[in-house]
Amino acid sequence: MADQEPEGKKEAELRSSDQAHRAILRRGEALDPFDGATGLLFEQAMAQTRMAVCLTDPRLPDDPIIFCNEAFQQLTGYQASEIIGRNCRFLQGPDTDQEQVGKIRRAIKDETVVVVEILNYRKDGSSFWNTLHLGPIYDDDGKLKYFFGSQWDVTDIHQSRAEERHAKAMAREVSHRLKNVFAVIGGIVNITGRSMDARDVARKINERVQALGRSYEPTLDDAALGTIHVGQAIRSVLSPYDPEGDRFVFSGNGIRTEPNAISAIGLTLHELATNATKYGALSTKEGKVEVSWQHAKDRLGRNSLEIDWKERGGPRVSGTPETGGTGFDIADTLLSHARGVLDKHWEEDGLRAQVILPIANR
């Protein structure tokens, strides 16, 4: 497993036994370390394991492989006769990371254990990501006798990591562009409001646009993976209404839901928080709002996301208001498009509301 092929080295003369997994002897030198019952057990174990295994002999020139099991041959595409007597570097190729090769080289020099993830190549030229575990083996006298190497094909894992990194990079780009879109929309609304002498209307519209932006921004990385954290979105939408961080009591586990639920959730929570700030629990110093969420079956037996909202400590409520307000009308309309509902109950100690939104993914 040395790092470079010595110039002019004459290939070692090798012969194989009838069993592909037995050590190969150089001419005139007995190297078979697997004698007797111990050797038989070793060979049987190595033949049955699915992990690719090889041994090298650092006492020989260029630290050649002297043993490989069937799994090693299947992994690399080489036969034992093509492997034995060669340094492990023959598995390297044009895109093999030399920094990882350097770690192997230092471990051999220092006789230490190392684990690296390295790009190797099969006989047919195809590449695979190999998690290599390399370590020294000593004889009874404490002298270095072999290096043990185990190889594990982690190509699928490596590709999954690469795909996840790509998805997150794309999500960050979408997040950046989405912020720009919301900023442009906000600018258009402000200009239109001023030109029509409707600044108050423009402000209310922008508040809703900003609520949408807050609900989407922290969830885009997750959205690239197909679902988003519900609690993360809820906290992000409601954070501007609780600058001290002591007015909301959140209760919910790490449940996830589909990204397209965020628009309805974000705007609905914005309207509830705006109402609470003007008339409800957030209009007093002592008021608090309890917000919880869970997956459940709705009354039609559909998988649903339920968000419960309960206000306490606000002004006394004498009854249901004559009108729900424009904001709640917007929330009801948006939820209805998603087959969801907003149930409101005006109790004496504050508003109790429940958002029920059917979902496909849990």
Side-chain angles (χ1 to χ4, degrees):
M1 294 187 183
D3 61 295
Q4 59 182 2
E5 189 85 15
E7 295 183 1
K9 186 183 81 67
K10 190 174 182 180
E11 184 176 351
E13 297 181 22
L14 307 170
R15 68 174 179 84
S16 63
S17 65
D18 294 334
Q19 294 181 332
H21 308 306
R22 293 184 61 92
I24 305 304
L25 308 184
R26 286 170 58 92
R27 181 178 297 172
E29 184 174 6
L31 295 178
D32 190 350
F34 311 120
D35 292 330
T38 301
L40 180 61
L41 291 174
F42 176 84
E43 290 188 38
Q44 291 178 350
M46 289 300 99
Q48 294 182 39
T49 182
R50 292 189 300 169
M51 178 173 288
V53 172
C54 68
L55 288 178
T56 71
D57 191 339
R59 299 169 300 176
L60 295 177
D62 202 28
D63 191 14
I65 298 173
I66 63 166
F67 169 86
C68 67
N69 67 350
E70 181 66 27
F72 187 95
Q73 298 173 58
Q74 293 178 359
L75 175 63
T76 64
Y78 290 93
Q79 297 297 314
S81 59
E82 301 172 292
I83 297 170
I84 302 302
R86 302 177 70 179
N87 184 280
C88 289
R89 83 175 66 81
F90 78 96
L91 296 176
Q92 298 173 20
D95 293 325
T96 301
D97 187 349
Q98 293 305 303
E99 182 178 347
Q100 301 304 310
V101 174
K103 291 180 181 179
I104 298 173
R105 183 190 309 133
R106 288 189 293 274
I108 292 174
K109 179 181 178 181
D110 299 336
E111 299 180 16
T112 57
V113 174
V114 69
V115 178
V116 299
E117 189 172 285
I118 189 169
L119 186 68
N120 282 158
Y121 290 79
R122 299 184 180 89
K123 182 179 180 179
D124 64 6
S126 62
S127 61
F128 65 97
W129 285 98
N130 177 18
T131 294
L132 168 66
H133 178 284
L134 175 69
I137 297 177
Y138 299 95
D139 62 18
D140 293 339
D141 298 325
K143 294 180 180 180
L144 178 64
K145 192 169 185 179
Y146 307 112
F147 274 104
F148 172 89
S150 65
Q151 293 81 17
W152 194 258
D153 186 351
V154 294
T155 303
D156 290 343
I157 297 173
H158 194 276
Q159 289 177 342
S160 296
R161 287 197 216 117
E163 290 170 0
E164 183 176 348
R165 287 194 296 269
H166 176 70
K168 288 187 175 181
M170 292 297 293
R172 286 192 293 270
E173 178 63 21
V174 172
S175 177
H176 174 71
R177 296 189 181 192
L178 195 58
K179 290 178 184 177
N180 289 339
V181 169
F182 283 126
V184 170
I185 292 173
I188 293 173
V189 170
N190 285 333
I191 293 172
T192 305
R194 287 197 300 269
S195 66
M196 300 179 66
D197 196 21
R199 288 179 171 82
D200 187 56
V201 174
R203 177 183 57 79
K204 291 179 179 179
I205 294 174
N206 260 333
E207 287 176 353
R208 294 180 175 112
V209 171
Q210 291 167 10
L212 274 178
R214 290 195 305 274
S215 64
Y216 273 105
E217 183 179 344
T219 63
L220 283 172
D221 278 358
D222 283 344
L225 303 178
T227 58
I228 55 93
H229 279 290
V230 173
Q232 187 180 20
I234 290 175
R235 290 185 176 90
S236 181
V237 171
L238 298 178
S239 60
Y241 306 96
D242 186 16
E244 302 299 325
D246 59 357
R247 306 300 294 277
F248 287 100
V249 179
F250 295 107
S251 176
N253 57 18
I255 63 174
R256 304 172 70 90
T257 193
E258 53 203 28
N260 59 13
I262 289 301
S263 296
I265 293 172
L267 275 181
T268 302
L269 292 175
H270 163 73
E271 300 304 336
L272 288 169
T274 299
N275 181 79
T277 301
K278 292 180 178 179
Y279 313 111
L282 300 182
S283 67
T284 67
K285 292 183 178 180
E286 296 80 17
K288 293 185 181 296
V289 181
E290 299 172 2
V291 184
S292 61
W293 55 92
Q294 63 179 345
H295 280 146
K297 296 286 187 180
D298 67 8
R299 47 180 168 258
L300 298 178
R302 299 172 298 184
N303 290 329
S304 297
L305 171 65
E306 293 184 358
I307 301 176
D308 291 300
W309 175 282
K310 177 59 182 150
E311 299 181 27
R312 301 183 189 278
R316 297 298 252 180
V317 177
S318 57
T320 303
E322 294 182 2
T323 176
T326 303
F328 284 138
D329 290 341
I330 293 174
D332 286 334
T333 301
L334 191 59
L335 283 168
S336 68
H337 289 316
R339 299 177 296 119
V341 296
L342 171 61
D343 288 333
K344 302 182 292 294
H345 303 278
W346 303 93
E347 300 178 345
E348 187 175 346
D349 60 343
L351 171 64
R352 178 169 60 86
Q354 186 178 58
V355 180
I356 302 175
L357 195 65
I359 55 175
N361 299 322
R362 298 188 52 163

